[in-house]
């Protein structure tokens, strides 16, 4: 398909990739939306094992454990655990290398932004087995669908259930609850309302009632269902609606909550803030809210409303790239994937992109809190994070910039959007690679 | 128009370098009024309190710790002895500038996960399952709002990641020591110029340079020395505007080879404390250091020369402001029937009470706020008399 224009690559993608010059001209909403139904020729390399495959392996790990085999990751005694380990090692580069080579940058950005709005973090044991498929299946497959379906998929995904300790929750009047004296864990119920959907307009009673409705929900090798032994019997009254028991009732609750005006407002604000400005234009948020409610939570009409707003085409870039966006944009500029070995000045075996990202404040797949990585510039602008961006820029430029034409690269990366000051500074560098370092570490390059 | 570049080059002359440091420890600073200084250290990995401050007079101790307790350290009193690798702290103990709180724990009981435990310790939650307060922030950040006259903006944190304990709605800065940059000074000047021209980037960039200049010529050393360096750096910040600092210190998860690991860990911890005292000089007299860990370890040593995740643990207190030379808390005993689940040191006190009393005595935070906002469901209990 037709290449994106420069502003499309910068604001709605990960920047232009060396060897793939942008189309001339400005923003064309339908060209970006066409990405959502196009095939990315680079995608085949990232076809990772499915959730079902991994759940099957986890069943085998459990069987090994019951047979007395040491299944700890370091023991190398369990074949299934070793398979999982290898798969997860191979998953790791997808966070930076997949967007670094992608042709459909808008698609990659959407995957990352929804995965951040609906966060799982690899900080608790067990989440790591499922993070890749959370992103690939719960998020990626739904970016052009309905928001209601996305939060249904994320709610039922094992990564979310483990991360927000839903697996610990037991209906106090369920058979297990009565026998063992166990009770509800409200973690997922609360964050579903607070972070994944409404953000406001609900009460603690709604949280507790929702926790009752969710008790016993599980996705295992047999698929998503509610385990009777842990389910809380009886009716639950949530946000003025009465629900019964079972999976259908949970899915109905998700539909109801997804269609609420608070959810529309929260999704609209998130999307506008992510792409346009830390304090987004109120008329845009209003327009997005209306579209969301009128279009049955469908996301493509939402993106269209966003892309048709004048702020989407404004050459003045108000947002600061996250460390991942920044590192990926610089890999694209230098034509790398981040998986190269033997790069000058880097560790011989690897460019250690995750370490650099950690130093810039974004340890891959490990946001500190359930509200995800910062969506505003202040979260990434502390002096040590800043120093780490300069480190990355310097190391990358030194490894790749010997024969670079930094002045031409300013044009390629930023076109008319480059400030005269940046052009002079890059041209004034003593060495080619230093000019490239100045470009990558400049505010111009960090803005989108 | 190269003229403005030249001007800017003078204005933003760097004189030193900008690059990441091998010192991986995050340090957080926050400014608060008054002369008192509080340092909160998060000991990650679950420090074995029974090995650091050994209840050698407890009748059950020797049988539980046959190899770990083999090398004797100095006596703290007629009941407890100190780990030999921490013997360098004995002058502090003798000067009553060192104390411990034994058999303490956070309210987290439903599991023994490092991550949940550390989050609970830093969030300050009062729940048994480690579930965080709805704000998902740090107790020290929430406490900043309750300190009469605490500044809103003079805060700097140091290290790769922000610490949860100081993260939240109250503004804090963030920094860590730097090493040498490979960019030529001219390249650095050019970078200064382009960053200075952007209102969003100008301040953090120049702050980075300013702080880098303060560290000029000091390469952060690797290994053991690093924590001494860190202590010195923390002291420097506390001599300036900062009144509260926090950093984390990992490596305490001693499932095996505990003898060797604890020697290195306690040497580093001692280095950090002694470097802070040295760096603070007279100000050490108004300083309190509170070092806490997510939980303790099993009373009985395991089959691999270590200990496993337990419950009751130890807090380390130091500083010239401290009424030291004593072991706070109620000793539960190690004999049959005295252990929790027949395996862990029984917690007899809420570890959160110690930082709570420190916040009250040093920064005037009211008891009501401490027991609700800062540490939900905390029972402050009687004043342990931490401070002089």
């Amino acid at each position: 398909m037709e290449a994106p224009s420069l502003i499309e690559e910068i604001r709605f993608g990960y920047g232009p990739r060396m060897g793939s010059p942008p189309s001339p001209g400005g923003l064309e909403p339908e060209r970006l939306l066409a990405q959502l139904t196009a095939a990315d020729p680079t995608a085949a390399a990232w076809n990772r094992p499915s959730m079902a495959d991994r759940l099957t392996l986890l069943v085998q790990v459990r069987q090994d454990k019951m047979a007395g085999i040491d299944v700890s990751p370091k023991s190398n005694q369990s074949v299934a655990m070793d398979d999982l380990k290898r798969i997860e090692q191979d998953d790791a580069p997808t966070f930076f290398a997949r967007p670094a080579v992608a042709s459909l940058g808008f698609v990659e950005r959407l995957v990352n932004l929804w995965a951040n709005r609906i966060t799982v973090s690899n900080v608790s044991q067990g989440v790591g087995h499922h993070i890749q498929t959370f992103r690939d299946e719960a998020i990626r497959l739904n970016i052009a669908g309905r928001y209601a379906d996305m939060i249904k998929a994320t709610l039922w995904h094992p990564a979310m259930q483990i991360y927000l300790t839903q697996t610990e929750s037991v209906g106090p009047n369920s058979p297990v609850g009565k026998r063992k004296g166990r009770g509800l864990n409200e973690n997922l119920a609360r964050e579903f309302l607070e972070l994944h959907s409404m953000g406001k307009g609900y009460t603690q009673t709604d949280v507790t009632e929702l926790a009752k409705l969710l008790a016993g929900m599980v996705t295992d090798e047999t698929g998503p269902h509610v385990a009777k032994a842990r389910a809380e019997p009886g009716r639950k009254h949530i946000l003025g609606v009465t629900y019964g028991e079972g999976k259908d009732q949970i899915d109905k609750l998700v539909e109801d909550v997804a269609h609420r005006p608070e959810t529309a407002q929260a999704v609209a604000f998130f999307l506008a803030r992510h792409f346009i400005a830390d304090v987004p234009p109120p008329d845009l948020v209003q327009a997005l809210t209306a579209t969301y409610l009128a279009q049955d939570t469908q996301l493509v009409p939402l993106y269209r409303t966003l892309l048709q707003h004048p702020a989407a085409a404004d050459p003045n870039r108000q947002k600061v790239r996250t460390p991942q966006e920044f590192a990926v944009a610089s890999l694209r500029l230098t034509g790398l994937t981040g998986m190269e070995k033997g790069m000058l000045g880097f560790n011989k075996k690897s460019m250690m992109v995750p370490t650099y990202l950690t130093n810039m404040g974004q340890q891959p797949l490990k946001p500190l809190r359930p509200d995800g990585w910062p969506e505003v510039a202040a979260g990434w602008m502390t002096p040590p994070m800043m120093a780490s961006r300069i480190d990355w820029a310097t190391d990358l430029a030194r490894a790749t910039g010997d024969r670079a034409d930094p002045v031409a690269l300013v044009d390629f990366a930023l076109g008319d959007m480059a400030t005269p000051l940046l052009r002079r500074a890059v041209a004034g560098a003593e060495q080619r690679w230093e000019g490239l370092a100045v470009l990558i570490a400049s505010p111009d390059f960090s803005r989108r | 128009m190269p003229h403005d570049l030249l001007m800017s080059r003078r204005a933003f002359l760097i004189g030193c370098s900008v690059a990441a440091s091998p010192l991986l420890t995050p340090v957080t600073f926050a400014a608060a009024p008054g002369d008192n200084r509080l340092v909160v250290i998060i000991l990650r990995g679950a420090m074995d309190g029974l090995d650091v401050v050994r209840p050698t007079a407890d009748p059950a101790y020797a049988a539980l710790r046959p190899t770990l307790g083999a090398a004797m350290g100095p006596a703290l009193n007629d009941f407890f002895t100190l780990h030999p690798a921490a013997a360098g702290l004995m002058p502090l103990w003798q000067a009553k500038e060192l104390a411990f709180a034994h058999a303490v724990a956070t309210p987290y009981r439903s599991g023994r996960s490092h991550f949940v435990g550390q989050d609970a310790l830093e969030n300050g939650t009062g729940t048994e399952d480690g579930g965080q307060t709805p704000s998902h922030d740090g107790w020290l950040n929430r406490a900043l709002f309750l300190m009469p006259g605490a500044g809103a903006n003079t805060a700097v944190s140091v290290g790769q990641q922000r610490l949860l304990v100081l993260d939240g709605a109250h503004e804090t800065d963030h920094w860590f020591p730097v090493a040498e940059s490979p960019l030529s000074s001219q390249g650095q000047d050019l970078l200064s110029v382009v960053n200075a021209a952007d209102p969003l980037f100008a301040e953090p960039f120049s702050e980075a340079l300013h702080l880098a200049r303060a560290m000029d010529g000091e390469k952060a050393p690797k290994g053991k020395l690093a924590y001494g360096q860190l202590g010195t750096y923390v002291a420097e910040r506390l001599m300036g505007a900062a009144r509260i600092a926090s950093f984390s210190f990992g490596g305490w998860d001693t499932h095996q080879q505990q003898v060797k690991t604890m020697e290195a860990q306690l040497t580093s911890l001692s280095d950090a404390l002694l470097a802070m005292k040295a760096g603070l000089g007279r100000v050490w007299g108004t300083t309190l250091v509170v070092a806490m860990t997510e939980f303790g370890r099993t009373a009985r040593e395991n089959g691999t020369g270590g200990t496993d995740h337990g419950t009751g643990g130890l807090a380390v207190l130091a500083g010239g402001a401290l009424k030291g030379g004593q072991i706070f808390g109620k000793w539960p005993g190690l004999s049959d029937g005295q252990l929790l689940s027949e395996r862990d040191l029984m917690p007899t006190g809420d570890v959160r009470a110690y930082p709570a009393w420190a916040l009250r005595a040093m920064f005037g935070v009211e008891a009501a706020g401490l027991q609700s906002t800062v540490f939900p469901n905390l029972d402050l209990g009687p004043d342990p008399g931490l401070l002089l």
Side-chain angles (χ1 to χ4, degrees):
Chain A
M1 62 181 287
E2 201 186 336
S5 66
L6 193 54
I7 188 71
E8 289 167 11
E9 290 275 35
I10 291 173
R11 180 164 293 136
F12 297 100
Y14 282 91
R17 182 165 173 87
M18 181 183 270
S20 307
S23 292
L27 183 122
E28 288 180 22
E30 293 307 319
R31 180 164 55 199
L32 275 170
L33 292 172
Q35 289 194 19
L36 296 168
T37 47
D40 192 325
T42 68
W46 309 106
N47 198 2
R48 306 296 307 145
S50 68
M51 175 177 79
D53 292 345
R54 296 172 202 237
L55 285 169
T56 305
L57 282 170
L58 284 166
V59 170
Q60 288 164 16
V61 169
R62 223 160 38 233
Q63 286 164 350
D64 285 352
K65 193 176 178 183
M66 286 195 299
I69 295 169
D70 182 356
V71 297
S72 60
K74 283 181 187 157
S75 78
N76 294 332
Q77 303 292 308
S78 160
V79 174
M81 180 49 88
D82 287 354
D83 282 352
L84 268 178
K85 251 169 51 185
R86 188 178 37 75
I87 289 170
E88 286 161 23
Q89 273 164 14
D90 293 345
D91 287 342
T94 52
F95 186 61
F96 55 88
R98 179 166 191 170
V101 299
S103 309
L104 309 177
F106 186 43
V107 167
E108 299 306 313
R109 283 283 301 284
L110 289 171
V111 169
N112 274 281
L113 90 90
W114 293 122
N116 195 43
R117 169 155 175 84
I118 312 169
T119 297
V120 293
S121 175
N122 191 14
V123 291
S124 359
Q125 203 171 10
V127 180
H129 300 314
H130 300 292
I131 283 200
Q132 185 68 36
T133 68
F134 182 86
R135 296 168 69 87
D136 287 349
E137 297 175 24
I139 301 288
R140 187 179 286 271
L141 296 182
N142 287 303
I143 58 167
R146 296 160 68 242
Y147 189 69
D149 289 325
M150 187 186 289
I151 56 176
K152 214 175 285 169
T154 55
L155 186 71
W156 280 100
H157 198 279
M160 182 62 76
Q161 307 235 323
I162 299 168
Y163 174 52
L164 290 180
T165 56
Q166 180 61 31
T167 45
E168 307 293 314
S169 189
V170 177
N173 298 305
S174 67
V176 173
K178 282 203 250 184
R179 194 168 69 242
K180 297 192 173 169
R182 294 182 55 185
L184 297 172
N185 183 310
E186 296 181 350
N187 210 357
L188 179 58
R190 169 171 292 106
E191 302 305 13
F192 176 77
L193 294 176
E194 174 64 27
L195 300 175
H196 307 166
S197 58
M198 296 168 65
K200 60 176 186 229
Y202 64 92
T203 66
Q204 175 57 42
T205 311
D206 293 321
V207 172
T208 307
E209 290 289 297
L210 177 55
K212 288 182 190 169
L213 179 62
L214 300 185
M217 76 184 303
V218 63
T219 298
D220 59 18
E221 61 282 5
T222 67
H225 62 278
V226 177
K228 274 252 155 59
R230 297 155 74 95
E232 177 73 1
R235 289 156 184 263
K236 294 93 187 172
H237 308 283
I238 305 159
L239 297 158
V241 183
T242 302
Y243 300 89
E245 296 163 36
K247 180 173 184 303
D248 290 352
Q249 292 293 292
I250 293 175
D251 289 344
K252 178 175 182 302
L253 170 282
V254 176
E255 285 290 336
D256 292 347
V257 170
H259 284 83
R260 288 189 65 99
E262 296 92 339
T263 305
Q265 162 82 23
V267 170
F269 180 80
F270 189 89
L271 199 63
R273 186 182 56 174
H274 178 88
F275 282 113
I276 303 300
D278 289 358
V279 181
D283 67 314
L284 172 60
V285 177
Q286 217 167 12
L288 288 168
T289 307
T291 303
Y292 178 97
L293 288 171
Q295 301 279 345
D296 184 28
T297 85
Q298 285 191 72
L299 294 171
V300 175
L302 207 58
Y303 305 148
R304 183 172 284 113
T305 300
L306 171 77
L307 296 170
Q308 288 174 344
H309 190 278
D314 189 348
N316 176 26
R317 289 148 296 133
Q318 297 193 47
K319 295 290 293 185
V320 171
R321 281 176 166 150
T322 66
Q324 187 244 19
E325 291 162 9
F326 167 73
V328 169
S330 54
L331 288 168
R332 290 174 70 88
L333 181 67
T334 51
L336 300 179
T337 66
M339 295 170 74
E340 286 76 8
K341 299 178 198 301
M343 297 284 291
L344 174 77
F346 285 89
N347 181 304
K348 274 191 189 122
K349 289 182 184 160
S350 152
M351 290 180 70
M352 312 276 279
V353 175
T355 306
Y356 282 94
L357 288 175
T358 301
N359 291 346
M360 293 181 222
Q362 193 174 20
Q363 189 175 8
L365 308 181
K366 282 195 178 182
L368 284 178
R369 312 204 308 231
D371 57 355
W373 299 116
E375 284 284 340
V376 295
W380 307 115
M381 303 286 291
T382 75
M385 292 177 185
M386 197 98 165
S388 299
R389 286 193 185 215
I390 297 166
D391 271 349
W392 165 258
T394 307
D395 291 350
L396 184 67
R398 201 180 33 189
T400 60
D402 275 2
R403 291 186 204 139
D405 180 349
V407 175
L409 282 171
V410 171
D411 267 328
F412 185 72
L414 295 162
D416 296 343
M417 289 175 268
T419 57
L421 183 65
L422 178 69
R423 289 179 187 279
R424 285 204 304 278
V426 168
E430 284 171 359
Q431 304 179 56
R432 288 171 178 273
W433 75 264
E434 290 203 332
L436 179 56
V438 171
L439 165 59
I440 296 174
S442 69
D444 270 359
F445 190 76
S446 268
R447 283 180 176 273
R448 63 163 167 81
Chain B
M1 214 172 67
H3 180 69
D4 62 339
L5 279 180
L6 285 169
M7 286 298 290
S8 302
R9 191 183 304 175
R10 273 197 296 277
F12 291 91
L13 193 65
I14 298 170
C16 75
S17 50
V18 184
S21 149
L23 253 189
L24 305 182
T25 302
V27 183
T28 315
F29 298 97
D35 287 334
N36 290 329
R37 270 81 167 168
L38 175 65
V39 180
V40 175
I41 307 177
I42 305 294
L43 303 168
R44 298 192 193 282
M47 180 179 73
D48 184 14
L50 283 174
D51 203 15
V52 179
V53 173
R54 302 165 170 185
T56 35
D58 190 292
Y61 171 75
L64 289 167
R65 298 294 181 100
T67 52
L68 294 182
M72 290 284 283
L76 291 169
N77 56 28
D78 55 9
F79 194 86
F80 292 103
T81 61
L82 191 61
H83 191 288
L89 296 177
M90 281 310 283
L92 292 189
W93 176 263
Q94 279 140 8
K96 302 199 186 305
E97 293 177 354
L98 178 69
F100 302 93
H102 226 319
V104 289
T106 69
Y108 170 54
R109 287 291 182 286
S110 66
R112 294 179 178 87
S113 153
H114 289 303
F115 303 120
V116 178
Q118 286 167 31
D119 282 355
L121 180 67
E122 294 181 72
N123 173 248
T125 178
T127 60
E128 267 194 33
D129 66 2
Q132 298 202 10
T133 60
S135 50
H136 291 285
D137 50 6
W139 58 261
L140 204 42
N141 191 286
R142 295 194 297 276
L144 289 172
F145 287 102
L146 304 179
M147 287 176 193
N153 52 7
T154 331
V156 54
S157 90
V158 174
Q160 289 182 319
Q161 286 199 311
R162 293 172 184 278
L163 284 180
L164 176 60
V165 71
L166 238 177
D167 202 14
H170 206 291
E171 207 173 321
T172 55
D173 277 345
H174 175 199
W175 181 242
F176 66 132
V178 292
E180 203 177 346
S181 163
L183 265 190
S184 71
S185 64
Q186 196 236 8
Q188 292 177 37
D189 292 352
L190 293 169
L191 203 48
S192 296
V193 172
V194 294
N195 276 280
D198 188 310
L200 197 55
F201 285 69
E203 198 182 322
F205 188 86
S206 79
E207 198 179 342
L209 296 187
H210 174 74
L211 288 162
R213 197 177 293 121
M215 294 299 291
D216 193 15
E218 291 183 33
K219 273 196 177 179
K222 286 183 180 163
K224 274 193 227 168
L225 280 174
Y227 282 97
Q229 175 90 34
L230 190 64
T232 304
Y233 185 66
V234 169
E236 278 173 15
R237 305 305 305 174
L238 291 173
M239 294 296 280
R243 291 294 173 269
I244 292 176
S246 184
F247 63 92
S248 83
F249 184 157
W252 299 95
D253 194 19
T254 51
H255 290 282
Q256 58 244 337
Q257 290 200 314
Q258 180 163 327
V259 170
K260 195 176 152 207
T261 309
M262 281 299 256
E263 188 183 335
Q265 290 290 110
L266 287 171
T267 304
S268 293
L269 182 60
S270 305
D271 286 350
L273 293 173
L274 294 171
M276 273 189 271
K277 177 180 161 91
L280 286 168
R282 239 163 33 85
V283 172
W284 177 251
T286 54
T287 298
L288 176 67
V289 182
V290 183
M292 301 186 294
T293 193
E294 64 262 34
F295 39 72
R297 308 190 71 85
T298 47
R300 187 180 304 279
E301 63 184 52
N302 64 20
T304 54
T307 48
D308 299 315
H309 299 183
T311 308
L314 182 82
V316 181
L317 307 162
L322 180 70
K323 205 188 283 179
Q326 50 180 330
I327 314 274
F328 294 102
K330 181 169 170 286
W331 183 245
L334 295 173
S335 302
D336 286 349
Q338 294 176 323
L339 296 176
L340 177 67
S341 311
E342 298 171 36
R343 51 169 274 161
D344 299 346
L345 180 63
M346 177 71 76
T348 57
D350 189 329
V351 68
R352 302 178 300 162
Y354 294 90
W357 280 109
L359 289 170
R360 177 143 176 67
M362 304 184 90
F363 302 105
V365 182
E366 297 293 340
L370 286 170
Q371 296 179 108
S372 55
T373 309
V374 181
F375 295 118
N377 309 326
L378 171 68
D379 178 3
L380 263 177
D383 186 351
L386 289 184
L387 301 185
L388 289 172

